[in-house]
């Protein structure tokens, strides 16, 4: 059973970390965004480092 970390009605994050980030393919990942940026996560992280 997959545990959802986002409210299906509002899209807001329930827990500060995702049990499994489907974008990064990493467990217990905290991107710091609310709601999930999805595939744009890599771009946002790249822009953050500049």
């Amino acid at each position: 059973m997959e545990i959802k970390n986002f409210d299906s009605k509002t899209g807001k994050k329930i827990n500060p970390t995702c049990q499994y980030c489907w974008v990064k393919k990493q467990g217990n990942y905290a991107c710091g965004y609310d709601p999930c940026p999805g595939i744009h996560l890599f771009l946002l992280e790249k822009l953050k480092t500049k």
Side-chain angles (χ1 to χ4, degrees), residues 6-33:
F6 295 91
D7 185 292
S8 60
K9 292 181 183 177
T10 64
K12 293 201 179 232
K13 198 179 270 190
I14 297 168
N15 297 309
T17 62
C18 290
Q19 185 178 14
Y20 183 76
C21 176
W22 65 273
V23 178
K24 291 281 205 163
K25 309 282 190 255
Q26 191 174 342
N28 291 324
Y29 186 75
C31 65
Y33 293 100

Side-chain angles (χ1 to χ4, degrees), residues 31-50:
C31 65
Y33 293 100
D34 183 38
C36 178
I39 59 172
H40 302 289
L41 180 60
F42 293 112
L43 176 62
L44 292 169
E45 288 180 342
K46 186 173 182 178
L47 291 173
K48 224 187 238 187
T49 60
K50 285 186 175 185

